[in-house]
Amino acid sequence: MSEQSSTARRRRWRAGLAAVASAAVVTGLGMVATANAYAASGCRVAYSAPSQWPGGFTANVEVTNLGDPISGWSLVWTFPSGQQVTQAWNATVTSSGGQFTAANVGYNGAIATNGTVSFGFNGSWSGTNTNPTVFTLNGVACTGSVGGSTPPPSSPSPSRSTSPSPSVSPSASPSPSGPPAVNAMAAVAAMQPGWNLGNSFDATGADETSWGNPQVTEALLDKVKAEGFKSIRIPVTWGQHHGSAPNYTIDAAWLARVKQVVDWALADGFYVMINIHHDSWQWIANMPSDRTTVLNRYNALWTQLAAAFRDSSAKLTFESVNEPQFTGSSGDAQNAQLLNELNTSFHRIVRQSGGGNATRLLVLPTLHTSADQARIDELTSTFTQLNDPNLIATVHFYGYWPFSVNVAGGTRFDATTQADLVGQFDRVYNAFVARNIPVIIGEYGLLGFDRHTGTIQQGEKLKFFEYLGYYARSKQLTTMLWDNGQHLGRTSLAWSDPELFAQLKSSWTTRSGTAYADQVFVPKASTITAKTLTLNLNGTTFQGLRQGSTDLVSGTDYTVSGSTLTLTAPALTRLVGSRAYGVNATLHARFSQGVPWRINIVTNDPPIVSNATGTTASFAVPTQFRGDQLATMEAKYADGTFAGPHNWTSFKEFDVTFAPNYTTNTITLKPEFFAEVNAGSRVTLTFHFWSGTTVTYYVTKATSGSVTGTTS
């Protein structure tokens, strides 16, 4: 992620129609007899369900043949709790009544003696999700021991490996349709959740500290692991760390340092992803006008990287390029052709390097890592061309742009913002996951975080991440949080916003109840009356309100009717106490699952602004906030036309054109705002506060650069 890439993202927030995909599992059919199946004389089954959400789950099944080699297999079981299979990979799953049969697909029919084969599926459940324990392989009960032997097939297929890496199925011999399959869907499911080591090795200066972060330590990775993350994406920018043409030799010390950190992460048990990162806009973007040089340089880097990591754990994945983009191309068709050339060249180089790279999971992005339908269709074409089951698709997600940066009045996680998220996740699900191609959201967050994590109001931010985690789970998407040091301190090893991280962590496994707001405003200068707040139950049930360790009394302190929470006037009177401006009490709404929802009880009065003078380089509006906080600002000329940057909307971008400072009691109007304001034309500013109060203010810029601000 970078300022360049953030700018590129701003062109991408458009909804599109989701493609319709059919399920990969056929139910309601009789048992399928597998050709060339032989009775096993002994077998062992390891069944696990590593991911579960309300109504759904993902299961992995590993079958070990303890008897003579077999060249075709079918595994039969019955669910103890009536579960259903909705989608399968690396096997064809059918059902008859309550009995399920998984049969091999073309490339994994052979199981050698002591060989193992894996498959997985998504399922649905209600009530309980008890694991099945009784399985039969080709008609023989899998008890974990050997019975009699059976004659081997007359033409046995090649044996499978007997020593797979964790969560990655062993490889079969190559088939005509491509390399042997690993359980890509299961591996990517096991990567959830993921974390980005941002602004370290992707830095564009002399070393990993050039963007202000300290050197990466083993302690940092240990902390990330302890916090529950299963995978780490390590972005790496190589452009300033290699020699000249024609060899483009990577600096040995830089490569060794990257490999050291990769090995630390692998030793910690992480899945790890490395890539070519900011090179995308530094020099790969020049491909339309300098194709040969760019391609030679790109190929030389991946040739060296493939060799350097050839024998690394199968839990290491390669990503071809971060946020690919092209400058000066003729349009979409050329962009698609160039990206396809990069992705297919990367694929060829890695696969031909042999060793672990012959079956290593490879990650391919869309143009700009966009989830727009046209970009998805382009990548789908590349996947079809490569016909390789060991590939992963990736896009990035930074939310609906007006909300993500707080512009155009996008202050709330509303229906429009939610629909944008749903549209993007549905599109990648329908195009890839529904076809058993796993998807990684390689970066996610909010673009406003680039400047300040306070750009989006806390409660709205929490609702966004709660829903993102839930919906990604429902679409079986693995997510990797973008963190350039703004979230987990690189030296303190502490979260800068523990409340945000608690919401993120909860969203990995369940839903949490939220509310329309996390603030209830009680005016200081008027009679205290009851206040209502709409709860977002999100499938939970409301359990009660608590202040610290004290439960508030239902019926006396509050009432709940449906999703409406009402705080009584007597309770509010007690909670605000002396009614000092600001937060006087903090409550937590507790639900049947997930994290509690914080509700601040705030005493406020309408803010007061004062006259001021200054310059376009330094101008601030004196403001008595009186317990309130600024949500957004409008700017219009006297004739009603929009003033300042983003002149397609009256609402300006938070922290880019204006910023509140609650310590100095000012609202700063930034040089970026005045740069696009007409000299001599009075501008009407409307400050919108979170209490619902609006305050009007006027500014006029002179040709000399001086600025006058008045309240009338």
Side-chain angles (χ1 to χ4, degrees):
M1 183 175 173
S2 65
E3 290 187 10
Q4 290 89 341
S5 59
S6 295
T7 300
R9 285 196 188 93
R10 300 184 185 203
R11 301 191 293 269
R12 306 209 302 266
W13 316 115
R14 300 290 184 270
L17 296 176
V20 178
S22 60
V25 61
V26 178
T27 60
L29 302 178
M31 186 186 304
V32 175
T34 306
N36 300 320
Y38 292 83
S41 58
C43 47
R44 179 174 61 248
V45 174
Y47 178 99
S48 64
S51 179
Q52 179 174 300
W53 56 95
F57 68 101
T58 295
N60 298 325
V61 185
E62 184 177 88
V63 183
T64 302
N65 173 33
L66 302 177
D68 294 324
I70 56 177
S71 62
W73 55 267
S74 62
L75 186 75
V76 178
W77 74 93
T78 300
F79 283 113
S81 307
Q83 300 97 315
Q84 296 294 314
V85 176
T86 58
Q87 178 189 35
W89 50 91
N90 292 341
T92 300
V93 178
T94 57
S95 69
S96 178
Q99 179 174 279
F100 287 80
T101 301
N104 66 277
V105 289
Y107 53 78
N108 66 356
I111 317 179
T113 301
N114 293 321
T116 302
V117 66
S118 298
F119 66 94
F121 58 84
N122 293 324
S124 61
W125 64 281
S126 61
T128 59
N129 185 22
T130 307
N131 290 352
T133 57
V134 178
F135 299 87
T136 59
L137 177 67
N138 291 358
V140 174
C142 294
T143 62
S145 61
V146 180
S149 63
T150 57
S154 56
S155 301
S157 298
S159 300
R160 296 176 68 88
S161 166
T162 60
S163 56
S165 298
S167 299
V168 180
S169 300
S171 302
S173 297
S175 67
S177 63
V182 300
N183 195 333
M185 288 289 291
V188 171
M191 293 181 190
Q192 173 66 8
W195 180 83
N196 273 270
L197 182 63
N199 283 23
S200 286
F201 291 104
D202 54 322
T204 55
D207 61 24
E208 68 196 271
T209 69
S210 68
W211 276 357
N213 278 323
Q215 285 195 325
V216 178
T217 63
E218 290 182 272
L220 172 64
L221 303 188
D222 292 344
K223 175 64 174 178
V224 174
K225 182 71 173 180
E227 294 296 85
F229 292 96
K230 307 298 185 186
S231 59
I232 289 185
R233 181 173 180 255
I234 303 178
V236 186
T237 301
W238 303 91
Q240 64 275 18
H241 297 292
H242 66 69
S244 58
N247 296 325
Y248 301 103
T249 302
I250 297 175
D251 177 72
W254 179 252
L255 181 58
R257 174 59 176 157
V258 172
K259 194 171 190 306
Q260 179 184 45
V261 175
V262 167
D263 288 344
W264 286 347
L266 291 170
D268 251 349
F270 286 109
Y271 285 85
V272 181
M273 184 192 303
I274 61 171
N275 68 0
I276 290 179
H277 202 77
H278 289 312
D279 307 79
S280 60
W281 56 263
Q282 286 183 321
W283 54 272
I284 293 174
N286 299 327
M287 198 171 176
S289 59
D290 196 7
R291 174 185 168 278
T292 299
T293 299
V294 168
L295 193 59
N296 287 344
R297 187 175 177 183
Y298 177 84
N299 289 350
L301 291 179
W302 270 120
T303 298
Q304 294 172 79
L305 294 175
F309 293 97
R310 179 178 182 273
D311 298 319
S312 293
S313 163
K315 295 179 80 169
L316 174 65
T317 64
F318 296 157
E319 178 186 28
S320 62
V321 61
N322 172 71
E323 298 183 350
Q325 53 196 276
F326 302 104
T327 302
S329 75
S330 59
D332 286 350
Q334 186 181 20
N335 288 336
Q337 183 271 323
L338 294 175
L339 179 55
N340 179 71
E341 190 166 11
L342 290 176
N343 278 335
T344 56
S345 184
F346 157 76
H347 177 267
R348 172 184 53 80
I349 289 168
V350 175
R351 288 287 179 252
Q352 290 180 356
S353 65
N357 292 340
T359 56
R360 189 175 304 283
L361 291 171
L362 304 180
V363 182
L364 305 184
T366 60
L367 185 73
H368 299 297
T369 53
S370 163
D372 288 350
Q373 191 62 54
R375 308 289 79 81
I376 292 170
D377 291 344
E378 293 159 0
L379 185 61
T380 300
S381 178
T382 298
F383 272 74
T384 301
Q385 172 190 348
L386 293 175
N387 193 25
D388 181 342
N390 302 349
L391 299 181
I392 301 166
T394 189
V395 297
H396 293 173
F397 183 71
Y398 284 92
Y400 181 60
W401 181 59
F403 174 76
S404 189
V405 301
N406 193 347
V407 73
T411 57
R412 290 194 177 274
F413 180 63
D414 58 12
T416 300
T417 303
Q418 180 174 312
D420 176 81
L421 183 154
V422 168
Q424 296 200 46
F425 285 12
D426 281 357
R427 288 194 291 275
V428 294
Y429 173 85
N430 291 334
F432 299 112
V433 178
R435 297 172 53 206
N436 297 326
I437 298 170
V439 173
I440 294 175
I441 309 296
E443 295 179 13
Y444 76 95
L446 290 167
L447 291 175
F449 285 176
D450 282 355
R451 300 181 62 88
H452 194 282
T453 56
T455 297
I456 293 85
Q457 195 271 339
Q458 183 74 356
E460 304 307 311
K461 181 195 313 178
L462 295 175
K463 287 186 284 184
F464 170 82
F465 284 107
E466 190 281 332
Y467 191 83
L468 186 153
Y470 150 70
Y471 205 72
R473 267 190 300 114
S474 75
K475 295 301 177 181
Q476 296 96 58
L477 307 177
T478 285
T479 57
M480 292 182 162
L481 176 68
W482 178 257
D483 189 352
N484 60 16
Q486 66 201 169
H487 296 307
L488 180 62
R490 297 291 169 85
T491 53
S492 69
L493 304 184
W495 293 99
S496 59
D497 186 345
E499 186 178 47
L500 172 59
F501 178 66
Q503 189 66 265
L504 285 174
K505 190 166 187 175
S506 176
S507 76
W508 299 339
T509 56
T510 190
R511 293 217 67 179
S512 295
T514 63
Y516 176 74
D518 63 350
Q519 302 174 98
V520 171
F521 287 90
V522 181
K524 181 181 179 71
S526 59
T527 302
I528 295 176
T529 59
K531 299 290 182 180
T532 62
L533 187 63
T534 300
L535 300 174
N536 304 317
L537 295 174
N538 298 334
T540 72
T541 55
F542 178 77
Q543 301 289 298
L545 277 181
R546 181 172 291 171
Q547 182 185 21
S549 59
T550 302
D551 289 327
L552 272 67
V553 179
S554 177
T556 301
D557 296 326
Y558 68 90
T559 60
V560 176
S561 176
S563 60
T564 301
L565 169 67
T566 300
L567 291 165
T568 66
L572 289 171
T573 300
R574 183 181 76 250
L575 291 168
V576 297
S578 63
R579 300 174 77 174
Y581 286 132
V583 178
N584 282 307
T586 297
L587 310 179
H588 284 92
R590 295 178 296 107
F591 300 88
S592 56
Q593 62 189 38
V595 296
W597 179 255
R598 175 187 45 76
I599 304 170
N600 285 340
I601 309 301
V602 183
T603 298
N604 75 296
D605 272 333
I608 297 173
V609 293
S610 303
N611 297 344
T613 58
T615 67
T616 57
S618 178
F619 183 85
V621 181
T623 308
Q624 299 175 50
F625 290 100
R626 304 212 292 176
D628 218 334
Q629 292 190 327
L630 185 62
T632 187
M633 179 189 81
E634 288 186 272
K636 297 180 182 179
Y637 293 114
D639 62 2
T641 58
F642 306 146
H646 310 104
N647 60 11
W648 46 273
T649 175
S650 62
F651 290 92
K652 305 298 101 174
E653 185 172 351
F654 194 101
D655 202 48
V656 171
T657 58
F658 70 96
N661 188 318
Y662 302 107
T663 301
T664 61
N665 293 310
T666 56
I667 300 173
T668 299
L669 301 183
K670 297 195 171 186
E672 291 85 348
F673 172 73
F674 289 113
E676 298 187 43
V677 166
N678 298 331
S681 297
R682 192 187 203 204
V683 177
T684 300
L685 303 179
T686 303
F687 296 116
H688 293 256
F689 292 86
W690 280 104
S691 68
T693 301
T694 59
V695 175
T696 302
Y697 195 74
Y698 305 94
V699 292
T700 304
K701 180 182 82 171
T703 54
S704 63
S706 64
V707 176
T708 301
T710 62
T711 59
S712 60

